[in-house]
Amino acid sequence: MSSTTSTVLPQGAGYGVVIGIGLFFSGIMLCLTFIQKRYTAFSPSNAEEFTSASRSVKPGLIAAGIVSAWTWAATLLQSSAVAYRYGISGPYWYAAGATVQVLLFAQLAAKLKLNAPNAHTFLEIIDVRFGRVGHGVFLFFGLATNFLVSSMLTLGGSATVTDLTGMNTIAACFLIPIGVSVYVVVGGMRATLLCDYTHTTVLFIIIMLFTFTVYGTSNKIGSPKAMHDLLAKLVDTAPVADNAGGSYLTMRSTGGIIFGVINLVGNFATVFLDQAYWQRSIASQPASSVKAFLLGGLAWFPIPFLLATTLGLAARALTGDPSMKVLSDADVSAGLPAPAAAAALLGKGGAAAMLVLLFLAVTSATSAELIAVSSILTYDVYKRYFNPEATEKQILYVSHMMIIAYALFMGVAGTIFFYIGISMGWLYLFMGTVLGSAVVPVALAITWRKTNPTGCIAGAIGGFAAGLIAWLVATSALNGGVLNATTTGGNYPMLAGNVASIGVGGVIAIVWTLVWPDNDFTWERTRAINSPTSHVHRKRDQATGSREDNDDKRSIDEKKEDRIQELVQPVRVEDPEELKGITTQTDLDRLALKKAFKFAVWASVALFVILIILVPLPLFGSSVVYGVKGFTAWTAIGIIWMFGGFFTVVVYPVYESRQAIGMVSKGIIKDIFSKGSGAYVKPTVPA
């Protein structure tokens, strides 16, 4: 597609942002990698550092990484689209329905540190608990999650870049993930988290810019009162079906609450089954993983809530304005209300800001998906099935290759969905139907010792089938047997599929376990995954080649079982470098972790009840339509929450890392005045 007069920005701007900013962050990553290797104890040439940041990242930076990974294209585009459709209920249900999963994940983060502190992926735990068949089943769900999330990223990003600049959609589908893969390969997990921090910082600043423009300085809107008045007038010309009084200013929205349920179910799948979030839990310090997820979840809430309350409502309020693009249903499904409103309010400057905002959101989430899929393909496919005794060098090589391969695959997937007419909005509503059945089984595998493997496998498969059947039957029944992209994407069919999938999967897994509990399993088996003892054994075996000629005739599963028994044998560690990146018993305070888990349970459940029940349901039941004061307070809460999020994931990480920043700064200053004197020196081991 070439640039036309209908695009706000020239085509070159699209290529400039996609390629230029990608190269810019690649340059930053190279600098960070050099600084990390020279002035700190961590090097991405170490496999544990590359994939898990040596399990040593502090909570503020992990929280920023969580916000970055959870800010998809859909966070900015789909949230604004539901605001455009349903009014103020849309942003709330999007934000609340996708925040509680991160908060509840804090429980799994605590259990992960307690029961498998050195695992690389959640599927390694599934492998030990459920065996080869279970591992294969949940490997499908894990990769399917990454596939759907990645497809939404490329579809949403490419659609917006094309809409604003006229850039070729297929080129955008490929260039976005390929550009990100360059800096992920270079830097690994820690440097990726640092780049995520810069993305998150810019993201908060741009959202604040849009907010203060719409509600403070714009001559088209300029205040909450003006926004309220414009939306109130639409009741006569474009009322919302099934909203109280047809108003955009009420939480009494049938479409909004249906979307909220679909959103809630679907996002349980894309958090609990996405290795990207497990990766952040793995990378965190044991004592602070719960804190990181609670802070990250709360800091993320105002991003979709405030942006959609700003640009999504502005797009609707400016209906009929000469500068506002007329949006079709396809445009809304593609998530274009926000870019259209940005361009209408601020012209080329607004379009450029939206383009940068979206690109940063897409690239930061893409980087999380790339390193997540790389970890799964490296540890759960290559190392599990092809080379159980892979060396660190081989693991790093495969990790790098998988990042590049998956970046290309993301481009192909986005292109396929584009040509068959599947939008980001359709995939967003559909994901829970495919993935929801595995949510409860995975959570049980990490938290409940007596979980029955057969029940969880049956639950995942049975719920998957039930979800698809409910979705297709509901579509057929409501549309006279017509099945196409439009009819299958309706709210009620998607609701049926999502609820059936997670409900049937969860019931089968729980009931099966209650009837036939697994009383023989102990957590010592999962604690042996990459344990300090096994890590040292493996390194020494690779150094001496002692296992190269043994066990050739036995299956991989037989070798694995034998290795589990062997690796629990104690070994003396004389060089701390042998345990670099590994969590040892001295790093784990089990009593503190158990307390952290209890706190995570109470805090996350309390916040779930507040955000999903106590706040929205009374407002839905009351059918209140907000006046000027009510809408002003609603907007003010979003702005205050946004500032709280800014301090949590932008200011706090700098404060908690002040010592590391000081150490690196001293090293750089020393090198400036005395070349070679500032490099990090490894502590000597006492004789």
Side-chain angles (χ1 to χ4, degrees), residues 270-281:
T270 52
V271 172
F272 283 36
L273 304 181
D274 192 339
Q275 173 61 22
Y277 303 97
W278 294 96
Q279 202 99 15
R280 276 145 182 77
S281 176

PDB file of all heavy atoms in Angstrom, residues 270-281:
ATOM      1  N   THR A 270      -3.732 -16.030  29.081  1.00  0.00           N
ATOM      2  CA  THR A 270      -2.542 -15.385  28.531  1.00  0.00           C
ATOM      3  C   THR A 270      -1.576 -14.876  29.602  1.00  0.00           C
ATOM      4  O   THR A 270      -0.513 -14.360  29.261  1.00  0.00           O
ATOM      5  CB  THR A 270      -2.941 -14.218  27.603  1.00  0.00           C
ATOM      6  OG1 THR A 270      -3.843 -13.355  28.288  1.00  0.00           O
ATOM      7  CG2 THR A 270      -3.598 -14.740  26.343  1.00  0.00           C
ATOM      8  N   VAL A 271      -1.921 -15.026  30.874  1.00  0.00           N
ATOM      9  CA  VAL A 271      -0.943 -14.781  31.938  1.00  0.00           C
ATOM     10  C   VAL A 271      -0.427 -16.109  32.483  1.00  0.00           C
ATOM     11  O   VAL A 271       0.777 -16.361  32.504  1.00  0.00           O
ATOM     12  CB  VAL A 271      -1.555 -13.943  33.083  1.00  0.00           C
ATOM     13  CG1 VAL A 271      -0.600 -13.870  34.268  1.00  0.00           C
ATOM     14  CG2 VAL A 271      -1.845 -12.527  32.605  1.00  0.00           C
ATOM     15  N   PHE A 272      -1.336 -16.990  32.889  1.00  0.00           N
ATOM     16  CA  PHE A 272      -0.934 -18.237  33.533  1.00  0.00           C
ATOM     17  C   PHE A 272      -0.213 -19.185  32.580  1.00  0.00           C
ATOM     18  O   PHE A 272       0.553 -20.039  33.013  1.00  0.00           O
ATOM     19  CB  PHE A 272      -2.161 -18.941  34.125  1.00  0.00           C
ATOM     20  CG  PHE A 272      -2.647 -18.338  35.414  1.00  0.00           C
ATOM     21  CD1 PHE A 272      -2.595 -16.966  35.641  1.00  0.00           C
ATOM     22  CD2 PHE A 272      -3.162 -19.127  36.422  1.00  0.00           C
ATOM     23  CE1 PHE A 272      -3.051 -16.405  36.823  1.00  0.00           C
ATOM     24  CE2 PHE A 272      -3.625 -18.583  37.613  1.00  0.00           C
ATOM     25  CZ  PHE A 272      -3.567 -17.212  37.813  1.00  0.00           C
ATOM     26  N   LEU A 273      -0.471 -19.077  31.257  1.00  0.00           N
ATOM     27  CA  LEU A 273       0.141 -19.989  30.295  1.00  0.00           C
ATOM     28  C   LEU A 273       1.231 -19.334  29.456  1.00  0.00           C
ATOM     29  O   LEU A 273       1.805 -19.996  28.587  1.00  0.00           O
ATOM     30  CB  LEU A 273      -0.933 -20.545  29.348  1.00  0.00           C
ATOM     31  CG  LEU A 273      -2.130 -21.254  29.984  1.00  0.00           C
ATOM     32  CD1 LEU A 273      -3.070 -21.765  28.907  1.00  0.00           C
ATOM     33  CD2 LEU A 273      -1.690 -22.380  30.889  1.00  0.00           C
ATOM     34  N   ASP A 274       1.512 -18.077  29.714  1.00  0.00           N
ATOM     35  CA  ASP A 274       2.528 -17.367  28.933  1.00  0.00           C
ATOM     36  C   ASP A 274       3.858 -17.417  29.674  1.00  0.00           C
ATOM     37  O   ASP A 274       3.998 -16.861  30.770  1.00  0.00           O
ATOM     38  CB  ASP A 274       2.101 -15.913  28.702  1.00  0.00           C
ATOM     39  CG  ASP A 274       2.971 -15.213  27.658  1.00  0.00           C
ATOM     40  OD1 ASP A 274       4.098 -15.676  27.406  1.00  0.00           O
ATOM     41  OD2 ASP A 274       2.516 -14.198  27.098  1.00  0.00           O
ATOM     42  N   GLN A 275       4.846 -18.040  29.063  1.00  0.00           N
ATOM     43  CA  GLN A 275       6.169 -18.165  29.681  1.00  0.00           C
ATOM     44  C   GLN A 275       6.779 -16.806  29.998  1.00  0.00           C
ATOM     45  O   GLN A 275       7.629 -16.688  30.880  1.00  0.00           O
ATOM     46  CB  GLN A 275       7.088 -18.964  28.749  1.00  0.00           C
ATOM     47  CG  GLN A 275       8.542 -19.050  29.165  1.00  0.00           C
ATOM     48  CD  GLN A 275       8.765 -19.718  30.506  1.00  0.00           C
ATOM     49  OE1 GLN A 275       7.924 -20.479  30.978  1.00  0.00           O
ATOM     50  NE2 GLN A 275       9.904 -19.448  31.135  1.00  0.00           N
ATOM     51  N   ALA A 276       6.325 -15.748  29.310  1.00  0.00           N
ATOM     52  CA  ALA A 276       6.886 -14.412  29.556  1.00  0.00           C
ATOM     53  C   ALA A 276       6.724 -13.991  31.016  1.00  0.00           C
ATOM     54  O   ALA A 276       7.616 -13.358  31.595  1.00  0.00           O
ATOM     55  CB  ALA A 276       6.223 -13.382  28.644  1.00  0.00           C
ATOM     56  N   TYR A 277       5.590 -14.344  31.650  1.00  0.00           N
ATOM     57  CA  TYR A 277       5.364 -13.962  33.051  1.00  0.00           C
ATOM     58  C   TYR A 277       6.098 -14.900  33.992  1.00  0.00           C
ATOM     59  O   TYR A 277       6.627 -14.467  35.029  1.00  0.00           O
ATOM     60  CB  TYR A 277       3.855 -13.913  33.341  1.00  0.00           C
ATOM     61  CG  TYR A 277       3.188 -12.954  32.399  1.00  0.00           C
ATOM     62  CD1 TYR A 277       2.570 -13.410  31.240  1.00  0.00           C
ATOM     63  CD2 TYR A 277       3.269 -11.582  32.607  1.00  0.00           C
ATOM     64  CE1 TYR A 277       2.025 -12.534  30.331  1.00  0.00           C
ATOM     65  CE2 TYR A 277       2.725 -10.697  31.707  1.00  0.00           C
ATOM     66  CZ  TYR A 277       2.111 -11.168  30.566  1.00  0.00           C
ATOM     67  OH  TYR A 277       1.590 -10.287  29.657  1.00  0.00           O
ATOM     68  N   TRP A 278       6.141 -16.184  33.642  1.00  0.00           N
ATOM     69  CA  TRP A 278       6.966 -17.107  34.426  1.00  0.00           C
ATOM     70  C   TRP A 278       8.430 -16.683  34.358  1.00  0.00           C
ATOM     71  O   TRP A 278       9.167 -16.795  35.339  1.00  0.00           O
ATOM     72  CB  TRP A 278       6.800 -18.532  33.890  1.00  0.00           C
ATOM     73  CG  TRP A 278       5.433 -19.091  34.085  1.00  0.00           C
ATOM     74  CD1 TRP A 278       4.405 -19.099  33.186  1.00  0.00           C
ATOM     75  CD2 TRP A 278       4.911 -19.710  35.268  1.00  0.00           C
ATOM     76  NE1 TRP A 278       3.284 -19.688  33.731  1.00  0.00           N
ATOM     77  CE2 TRP A 278       3.570 -20.076  35.007  1.00  0.00           C
ATOM     78  CE3 TRP A 278       5.457 -20.003  36.521  1.00  0.00           C
ATOM     79  CZ2 TRP A 278       2.771 -20.711  35.950  1.00  0.00           C
ATOM     80  CZ3 TRP A 278       4.661 -20.633  37.451  1.00  0.00           C
ATOM     81  CH2 TRP A 278       3.336 -20.985  37.167  1.00  0.00           C
ATOM     82  N   GLN A 279       8.839 -16.187  33.194  1.00  0.00           N
ATOM     83  CA  GLN A 279      10.233 -15.749  33.014  1.00  0.00           C
ATOM     84  C   GLN A 279      10.565 -14.607  33.976  1.00  0.00           C
ATOM     85  O   GLN A 279      11.650 -14.564  34.550  1.00  0.00           O
ATOM     86  CB  GLN A 279      10.419 -15.265  31.574  1.00  0.00           C
ATOM     87  CG  GLN A 279      11.855 -15.291  31.097  1.00  0.00           C
ATOM     88  CD  GLN A 279      12.133 -16.534  30.275  1.00  0.00           C
ATOM     89  OE1 GLN A 279      11.217 -17.202  29.840  1.00  0.00           O
ATOM     90  NE2 GLN A 279      13.385 -16.851  30.074  1.00  0.00           N
ATOM     91  N   ARG A 280       9.645 -13.703  34.181  1.00  0.00           N
ATOM     92  CA  ARG A 280       9.878 -12.593  35.097  1.00  0.00           C
ATOM     93  C   ARG A 280       9.872 -13.058  36.544  1.00  0.00           C
ATOM     94  O   ARG A 280      10.628 -12.539  37.371  1.00  0.00           O
ATOM     95  CB  ARG A 280       8.837 -11.504  34.847  1.00  0.00           C
ATOM     96  CG  ARG A 280       9.258 -10.599  33.695  1.00  0.00           C
ATOM     97  CD  ARG A 280       8.134 -10.096  32.830  1.00  0.00           C
ATOM     98  NE  ARG A 280       8.702  -9.286  31.748  1.00  0.00           N
ATOM     99  CZ  ARG A 280       9.304  -9.779  30.669  1.00  0.00           C
ATOM    100  NH1 ARG A 280       9.417 -11.077  30.507  1.00  0.00           N
ATOM    101  NH2 ARG A 280       9.808  -8.976  29.732  1.00  0.00           N
ATOM    102  N   SER A 281       9.050 -14.031  36.850  1.00  0.00           N
ATOM    103  CA  SER A 281       9.079 -14.616  38.185  1.00  0.00           C
ATOM    104  C   SER A 281      10.402 -15.333  38.422  1.00  0.00           C
ATOM    105  O   SER A 281      11.015 -15.216  39.491  1.00  0.00           O
ATOM    106  CB  SER A 281       7.919 -15.593  38.354  1.00  0.00           C
ATOM    107  OG  SER A 281       7.980 -16.239  39.603  1.00  0.00           O
TER     108      SER A 281
END
